[in-house]
Amino acid sequence: MRLAIDAAKKAAAHDDVPVGCVLVKDGQVLGTGENRREVEQDPTAHAEVVALRNAAKQLSGWRMDGVTAYVTLEPCAMCAGALLNARVSCVLVHCLTLEFLELSLEHQMKRPEQLGPVTTC
């Protein structure tokens, strides 16, 4: 989570919303990302999407089975969908709102095989 917080600080340094994400598998960092919407003028350049793109390059593939995402703030709908579609196994979120926690738990009860535990750190 420390690496994700460091990434969030980078986002803040270039006037983006301070969100960071790190993707890890078997103790190895596969991809990191910070919000880059302002820098890239790209509405999809959220921390999670940037990290997924970087990890996909390193893996030479899009499937993230066995990967854990460390995210500093709850993922938005786009990023949650991207993490799910990439088959990320577990998402650890540093800051949650009650609404996100309720939605996450509801999803896990319906389809627990699709998304690993969502916890606070």
Side-chain angles (χ1 to χ4, degrees):
M1 189 60 73
R2 173 56 47 200
L3 293 175
I5 292 169
D6 290 344
K9 289 177 183 177
K10 289 180 189 177
H14 51 72
D15 294 325
D16 258 299
V17 177
V19 178
C21 179
V22 177
L23 300 173
V24 177
K25 183 175 183 178
D26 300 327
Q28 178 184 1
V29 174
L30 299 177
T32 62
E34 79 268 3
N35 272 359
R36 299 189 54 80
R37 292 181 306 164
E38 297 301 328
V39 171
E40 296 181 14
Q41 292 299 296
D42 177 355
T44 68
H46 291 205
E48 299 89 337
V49 173
V50 172
L52 285 167
R53 289 175 180 157
N54 290 333
K57 285 179 189 172
Q58 185 164 334
L59 292 171
S60 297
W62 63 269
R63 287 184 174 89
M64 306 284 164
D65 298 308
V67 171
T68 298
Y70 295 85
V71 187
T72 58
L73 187 65
E74 65 190 60
C76 69
M78 175 184 71
C79 292
L83 291 164
L84 185 64
N85 283 310
R87 300 182 182 158
V88 169
S89 297
C90 179
V91 177
L92 300 175
V93 180
H94 186 68
C95 294
L96 292 173
T97 65
L98 183 58
E99 178 184 28
F100 177 79
L101 186 58
E102 288 171 353
L103 289 172
S104 297
L105 292 174
E106 181 181 323
H107 173 80
Q108 286 185 23
M109 284 189 239
K110 290 179 182 175
R111 305 207 58 173
E113 74 285 355
Q114 284 191 351
L115 186 64
V118 176
T119 64
T120 57
C121 298

PDB file of all heavy atoms in Angstrom, residues 23-48:
ATOM      1  N   LEU A  23      -0.193  -3.023  -8.773  1.00  0.00           N
ATOM      2  CA  LEU A  23      -0.613  -4.403  -9.028  1.00  0.00           C
ATOM      3  C   LEU A  23       0.546  -5.335  -8.720  1.00  0.00           C
ATOM      4  O   LEU A  23       1.658  -5.134  -9.233  1.00  0.00           O
ATOM      5  CB  LEU A  23      -1.053  -4.563 -10.488  1.00  0.00           C
ATOM      6  CG  LEU A  23      -2.228  -3.679 -10.897  1.00  0.00           C
ATOM      7  CD1 LEU A  23      -2.474  -3.781 -12.394  1.00  0.00           C
ATOM      8  CD2 LEU A  23      -3.476  -4.058 -10.133  1.00  0.00           C
ATOM      9  N   VAL A  24       0.279  -6.344  -7.880  1.00  0.00           N
ATOM     10  CA  VAL A  24       1.329  -7.233  -7.385  1.00  0.00           C
ATOM     11  C   VAL A  24       0.907  -8.685  -7.561  1.00  0.00           C
ATOM     12  O   VAL A  24      -0.252  -9.035  -7.317  1.00  0.00           O
ATOM     13  CB  VAL A  24       1.602  -6.950  -5.884  1.00  0.00           C
ATOM     14  CG1 VAL A  24       2.641  -7.899  -5.319  1.00  0.00           C
ATOM     15  CG2 VAL A  24       2.012  -5.505  -5.665  1.00  0.00           C
ATOM     16  N   LYS A  25       1.862  -9.516  -7.973  1.00  0.00           N
ATOM     17  CA  LYS A  25       1.634 -10.951  -8.036  1.00  0.00           C
ATOM     18  C   LYS A  25       2.856 -11.661  -7.483  1.00  0.00           C
ATOM     19  O   LYS A  25       3.980 -11.396  -7.912  1.00  0.00           O
ATOM     20  CB  LYS A  25       1.370 -11.418  -9.468  1.00  0.00           C
ATOM     21  CG  LYS A  25       1.051 -12.904  -9.553  1.00  0.00           C
ATOM     22  CD  LYS A  25       0.667 -13.319 -10.946  1.00  0.00           C
ATOM     23  CE  LYS A  25       0.284 -14.795 -10.966  1.00  0.00           C
ATOM     24  NZ  LYS A  25      -0.135 -15.208 -12.312  1.00  0.00           N
ATOM     25  N   ASP A  26       2.629 -12.538  -6.508  1.00  0.00           N
ATOM     26  CA  ASP A  26       3.711 -13.301  -5.884  1.00  0.00           C
ATOM     27  C   ASP A  26       4.841 -12.396  -5.397  1.00  0.00           C
ATOM     28  O   ASP A  26       6.022 -12.705  -5.571  1.00  0.00           O
ATOM     29  CB  ASP A  26       4.264 -14.353  -6.856  1.00  0.00           C
ATOM     30  CG  ASP A  26       3.208 -15.357  -7.303  1.00  0.00           C
ATOM     31  OD1 ASP A  26       2.309 -15.670  -6.479  1.00  0.00           O
ATOM     32  OD2 ASP A  26       3.268 -15.809  -8.456  1.00  0.00           O
ATOM     33  N   GLY A  27       4.478 -11.250  -4.825  1.00  0.00           N
ATOM     34  CA  GLY A  27       5.461 -10.330  -4.279  1.00  0.00           C
ATOM     35  C   GLY A  27       6.162  -9.455  -5.296  1.00  0.00           C
ATOM     36  O   GLY A  27       6.985  -8.619  -4.934  1.00  0.00           O
ATOM     37  N   GLN A  28       5.843  -9.597  -6.565  1.00  0.00           N
ATOM     38  CA  GLN A  28       6.478  -8.818  -7.628  1.00  0.00           C
ATOM     39  C   GLN A  28       5.523  -7.732  -8.120  1.00  0.00           C
ATOM     40  O   GLN A  28       4.378  -8.013  -8.459  1.00  0.00           O
ATOM     41  CB  GLN A  28       6.867  -9.720  -8.792  1.00  0.00           C
ATOM     42  CG  GLN A  28       7.498  -8.979  -9.949  1.00  0.00           C
ATOM     43  CD  GLN A  28       7.804  -9.875 -11.135  1.00  0.00           C
ATOM     44  OE1 GLN A  28       7.536 -11.068 -11.115  1.00  0.00           O
ATOM     45  NE2 GLN A  28       8.363  -9.284 -12.171  1.00  0.00           N
ATOM     46  N   VAL A  29       6.010  -6.511  -8.179  1.00  0.00           N
ATOM     47  CA  VAL A  29       5.207  -5.397  -8.709  1.00  0.00           C
ATOM     48  C   VAL A  29       5.146  -5.524 -10.224  1.00  0.00           C
ATOM     49  O   VAL A  29       6.165  -5.552 -10.899  1.00  0.00           O
ATOM     50  CB  VAL A  29       5.801  -4.035  -8.306  1.00  0.00           C
ATOM     51  CG1 VAL A  29       5.040  -2.906  -8.980  1.00  0.00           C
ATOM     52  CG2 VAL A  29       5.785  -3.866  -6.794  1.00  0.00           C
ATOM     53  N   LEU A  30       3.922  -5.643 -10.736  1.00  0.00           N
ATOM     54  CA  LEU A  30       3.716  -5.773 -12.184  1.00  0.00           C
ATOM     55  C   LEU A  30       3.417  -4.436 -12.843  1.00  0.00           C
ATOM     56  O   LEU A  30       3.737  -4.229 -14.019  1.00  0.00           O
ATOM     57  CB  LEU A  30       2.555  -6.731 -12.466  1.00  0.00           C
ATOM     58  CG  LEU A  30       2.707  -8.153 -11.967  1.00  0.00           C
ATOM     59  CD1 LEU A  30       1.449  -8.939 -12.267  1.00  0.00           C
ATOM     60  CD2 LEU A  30       3.917  -8.809 -12.597  1.00  0.00           C
ATOM     61  N   GLY A  31       2.759  -3.546 -12.113  1.00  0.00           N
ATOM     62  CA  GLY A  31       2.409  -2.257 -12.687  1.00  0.00           C
ATOM     63  C   GLY A  31       2.011  -1.279 -11.611  1.00  0.00           C
ATOM     64  O   GLY A  31       1.434  -1.667 -10.598  1.00  0.00           O
ATOM     65  N   THR A  32       2.354  -0.032 -11.829  1.00  0.00           N
ATOM     66  CA  THR A  32       1.921   1.040 -10.940  1.00  0.00           C
ATOM     67  C   THR A  32       1.236   2.107 -11.779  1.00  0.00           C
ATOM     68  O   THR A  32       1.453   2.187 -12.989  1.00  0.00           O
ATOM     69  CB  THR A  32       3.100   1.683 -10.172  1.00  0.00           C
ATOM     70  OG1 THR A  32       3.989   2.277 -11.110  1.00  0.00           O
ATOM     71  CG2 THR A  32       3.836   0.662  -9.322  1.00  0.00           C
ATOM     72  N   GLY A  33       0.436   2.898 -11.126  1.00  0.00           N
ATOM     73  CA  GLY A  33      -0.228   3.988 -11.834  1.00  0.00           C
ATOM     74  C   GLY A  33      -0.722   5.029 -10.865  1.00  0.00           C
ATOM     75  O   GLY A  33      -1.032   4.725  -9.719  1.00  0.00           O
ATOM     76  N   GLU A  34      -0.749   6.252 -11.352  1.00  0.00           N
ATOM     77  CA  GLU A  34      -1.368   7.343 -10.615  1.00  0.00           C
ATOM     78  C   GLU A  34      -2.317   8.036 -11.571  1.00  0.00           C
ATOM     79  O   GLU A  34      -2.191   7.868 -12.791  1.00  0.00           O
ATOM     80  CB  GLU A  34      -0.328   8.322 -10.064  1.00  0.00           C
ATOM     81  CG  GLU A  34       0.231   9.309 -11.055  1.00  0.00           C
ATOM     82  CD  GLU A  34       1.505   8.850 -11.746  1.00  0.00           C
ATOM     83  OE1 GLU A  34       1.976   7.731 -11.518  1.00  0.00           O
ATOM     84  OE2 GLU A  34       2.021   9.630 -12.552  1.00  0.00           O
ATOM     85  N   ASN A  35      -3.273   8.766 -11.041  1.00  0.00           N
ATOM     86  CA  ASN A  35      -4.173   9.523 -11.904  1.00  0.00           C
ATOM     87  C   ASN A  35      -3.342  10.442 -12.799  1.00  0.00           C
ATOM     88  O   ASN A  35      -2.467  11.148 -12.317  1.00  0.00           O
ATOM     89  CB  ASN A  35      -5.151  10.345 -11.062  1.00  0.00           C
ATOM     90  CG  ASN A  35      -6.392   9.575 -10.713  1.00  0.00           C
ATOM     91  OD1 ASN A  35      -6.567   8.423 -11.093  1.00  0.00           O
ATOM     92  ND2 ASN A  35      -7.283  10.209  -9.973  1.00  0.00           N
ATOM     93  N   ARG A  36      -3.628  10.411 -14.105  1.00  0.00           N
ATOM     94  CA  ARG A  36      -2.876  11.195 -15.089  1.00  0.00           C
ATOM     95  C   ARG A  36      -3.814  11.922 -16.059  1.00  0.00           C
ATOM     96  O   ARG A  36      -3.417  12.277 -17.164  1.00  0.00           O
ATOM     97  CB  ARG A  36      -1.917  10.291 -15.865  1.00  0.00           C
ATOM     98  CG  ARG A  36      -0.893   9.619 -14.958  1.00  0.00           C
ATOM     99  CD  ARG A  36       0.188   8.905 -15.731  1.00  0.00           C
ATOM    100  NE  ARG A  36       0.862   9.754 -16.698  1.00  0.00           N
ATOM    101  CZ  ARG A  36       1.826  10.639 -16.422  1.00  0.00           C
ATOM    102  NH1 ARG A  36       2.225  10.817 -15.184  1.00  0.00           N
ATOM    103  NH2 ARG A  36       2.393  11.356 -17.388  1.00  0.00           N
ATOM    104  N   ARG A  37      -5.054  12.134 -15.631  1.00  0.00           N
ATOM    105  CA  ARG A  37      -6.025  12.763 -16.527  1.00  0.00           C
ATOM    106  C   ARG A  37      -5.598  14.150 -16.964  1.00  0.00           C
ATOM    107  O   ARG A  37      -5.723  14.501 -18.144  1.00  0.00           O
ATOM    108  CB  ARG A  37      -7.409  12.822 -15.867  1.00  0.00           C
ATOM    109  CG  ARG A  37      -8.033  11.450 -15.683  1.00  0.00           C
ATOM    110  CD  ARG A  37      -9.389  11.523 -15.054  1.00  0.00           C
ATOM    111  NE  ARG A  37      -9.318  12.280 -13.809  1.00  0.00           N
ATOM    112  CZ  ARG A  37     -10.374  12.770 -13.175  1.00  0.00           C
ATOM    113  NH1 ARG A  37     -11.579  12.604 -13.655  1.00  0.00           N
ATOM    114  NH2 ARG A  37     -10.227  13.435 -12.060  1.00  0.00           N
ATOM    115  N   GLU A  38      -5.085  14.939 -16.045  1.00  0.00           N
ATOM    116  CA  GLU A  38      -4.676  16.304 -16.383  1.00  0.00           C
ATOM    117  C   GLU A  38      -3.413  16.304 -17.243  1.00  0.00           C
ATOM    118  O   GLU A  38      -3.327  17.043 -18.218  1.00  0.00           O
ATOM    119  CB  GLU A  38      -4.457  17.138 -15.111  1.00  0.00           C
ATOM    120  CG  GLU A  38      -5.708  17.326 -14.284  1.00  0.00           C
ATOM    121  CD  GLU A  38      -6.840  18.011 -15.029  1.00  0.00           C
ATOM    122  OE1 GLU A  38      -6.583  18.866 -15.904  1.00  0.00           O
ATOM    123  OE2 GLU A  38      -8.012  17.696 -14.748  1.00  0.00           O
ATOM    124  N   VAL A  39      -2.471  15.469 -16.919  1.00  0.00           N
ATOM    125  CA  VAL A  39      -1.209  15.405 -17.668  1.00  0.00           C
ATOM    126  C   VAL A  39      -1.440  14.931 -19.098  1.00  0.00           C
ATOM    127  O   VAL A  39      -0.909  15.503 -20.048  1.00  0.00           O
ATOM    128  CB  VAL A  39      -0.205  14.460 -16.960  1.00  0.00           C
ATOM    129  CG1 VAL A  39       1.021  14.212 -17.824  1.00  0.00           C
ATOM    130  CG2 VAL A  39       0.199  15.030 -15.623  1.00  0.00           C
ATOM    131  N   GLU A  40      -2.237  13.895 -19.243  1.00  0.00           N
ATOM    132  CA  GLU A  40      -2.462  13.302 -20.565  1.00  0.00           C
ATOM    133  C   GLU A  40      -3.710  13.828 -21.263  1.00  0.00           C
ATOM    134  O   GLU A  40      -3.948  13.482 -22.418  1.00  0.00           O
ATOM    135  CB  GLU A  40      -2.525  11.783 -20.434  1.00  0.00           C
ATOM    136  CG  GLU A  40      -1.205  11.194 -19.956  1.00  0.00           C
ATOM    137  CD  GLU A  40      -1.216   9.688 -19.834  1.00  0.00           C
ATOM    138  OE1 GLU A  40      -2.141   9.040 -20.363  1.00  0.00           O
ATOM    139  OE2 GLU A  40      -0.286   9.155 -19.208  1.00  0.00           O
ATOM    140  N   GLN A  41      -4.497  14.632 -20.543  1.00  0.00           N
ATOM    141  CA  GLN A  41      -5.777  15.112 -21.078  1.00  0.00           C
ATOM    142  C   GLN A  41      -6.606  13.939 -21.602  1.00  0.00           C
ATOM    143  O   GLN A  41      -7.169  13.981 -22.695  1.00  0.00           O
ATOM    144  CB  GLN A  41      -5.554  16.186 -22.152  1.00  0.00           C
ATOM    145  CG  GLN A  41      -4.985  17.478 -21.602  1.00  0.00           C
ATOM    146  CD  GLN A  41      -5.907  18.128 -20.580  1.00  0.00           C
ATOM    147  OE1 GLN A  41      -7.019  18.528 -20.892  1.00  0.00           O
ATOM    148  NE2 GLN A  41      -5.456  18.215 -19.337  1.00  0.00           N
ATOM    149  N   ASP A  42      -6.657  12.890 -20.780  1.00  0.00           N
ATOM    150  CA  ASP A  42      -7.333  11.636 -21.125  1.00  0.00           C
ATOM    151  C   ASP A  42      -8.300  11.297 -19.993  1.00  0.00           C
ATOM    152  O   ASP A  42      -7.864  11.042 -18.864  1.00  0.00           O
ATOM    153  CB  ASP A  42      -6.293  10.528 -21.292  1.00  0.00           C
ATOM    154  CG  ASP A  42      -6.890   9.158 -21.594  1.00  0.00           C
ATOM    155  OD1 ASP A  42      -8.130   9.003 -21.585  1.00  0.00           O
ATOM    156  OD2 ASP A  42      -6.098   8.232 -21.823  1.00  0.00           O
ATOM    157  N   PRO A  43      -9.593  11.279 -20.257  1.00  0.00           N
ATOM    158  CA  PRO A  43     -10.553  10.996 -19.191  1.00  0.00           C
ATOM    159  C   PRO A  43     -10.462   9.583 -18.638  1.00  0.00           C
ATOM    160  O   PRO A  43     -10.998   9.315 -17.566  1.00  0.00           O
ATOM    161  CB  PRO A  43     -11.914  11.239 -19.857  1.00  0.00           C
ATOM    162  CG  PRO A  43     -11.668  11.049 -21.303  1.00  0.00           C
ATOM    163  CD  PRO A  43     -10.249  11.499 -21.549  1.00  0.00           C
ATOM    164  N   THR A  44      -9.790   8.676 -19.336  1.00  0.00           N
ATOM    165  CA  THR A  44      -9.656   7.302 -18.839  1.00  0.00           C
ATOM    166  C   THR A  44      -8.338   7.053 -18.119  1.00  0.00           C
ATOM    167  O   THR A  44      -8.080   5.932 -17.684  1.00  0.00           O
ATOM    168  CB  THR A  44      -9.788   6.274 -19.982  1.00  0.00           C
ATOM    169  OG1 THR A  44      -8.657   6.400 -20.858  1.00  0.00           O
ATOM    170  CG2 THR A  44     -11.083   6.453 -20.744  1.00  0.00           C
ATOM    171  N   ALA A  45      -7.516   8.057 -17.958  1.00  0.00           N
ATOM    172  CA  ALA A  45      -6.193   7.873 -17.350  1.00  0.00           C
ATOM    173  C   ALA A  45      -6.277   7.882 -15.820  1.00  0.00           C
ATOM    174  O   ALA A  45      -5.583   8.630 -15.136  1.00  0.00           O
ATOM    175  CB  ALA A  45      -5.226   8.921 -17.861  1.00  0.00           C
ATOM    176  N   HIS A  46      -7.120   7.015 -15.290  1.00  0.00           N
ATOM    177  CA  HIS A  46      -7.225   6.830 -13.841  1.00  0.00           C
ATOM    178  C   HIS A  46      -6.101   5.904 -13.386  1.00  0.00           C
ATOM    179  O   HIS A  46      -5.571   5.115 -14.172  1.00  0.00           O
ATOM    180  CB  HIS A  46      -8.568   6.205 -13.479  1.00  0.00           C
ATOM    181  CG  HIS A  46      -9.737   7.111 -13.689  1.00  0.00           C
ATOM    182  ND1 HIS A  46     -10.905   6.961 -12.989  1.00  0.00           N
ATOM    183  CD2 HIS A  46      -9.935   8.165 -14.517  1.00  0.00           C
ATOM    184  CE1 HIS A  46     -11.782   7.879 -13.374  1.00  0.00           C
ATOM    185  NE2 HIS A  46     -11.208   8.621 -14.309  1.00  0.00           N
ATOM    186  N   ALA A  47      -5.765   5.967 -12.108  1.00  0.00           N
ATOM    187  CA  ALA A  47      -4.645   5.206 -11.558  1.00  0.00           C
ATOM    188  C   ALA A  47      -4.757   3.706 -11.860  1.00  0.00           C
ATOM    189  O   ALA A  47      -3.784   3.068 -12.267  1.00  0.00           O
ATOM    190  CB  ALA A  47      -4.558   5.427 -10.052  1.00  0.00           C
ATOM    191  N   GLU A  48      -5.953   3.152 -11.677  1.00  0.00           N
ATOM    192  CA  GLU A  48      -6.131   1.715 -11.884  1.00  0.00           C
ATOM    193  C   GLU A  48      -5.934   1.331 -13.346  1.00  0.00           C
ATOM    194  O   GLU A  48      -5.306   0.309 -13.649  1.00  0.00           O
ATOM    195  CB  GLU A  48      -7.529   1.272 -11.421  1.00  0.00           C
ATOM    196  CG  GLU A  48      -7.801   1.518  -9.948  1.00  0.00           C
ATOM    197  CD  GLU A  48      -8.401   2.889  -9.654  1.00  0.00           C
ATOM    198  OE1 GLU A  48      -8.231   3.831 -10.462  1.00  0.00           O
ATOM    199  OE2 GLU A  48      -9.031   3.020  -8.601  1.00  0.00           O
TER     200      GLU A  48
END
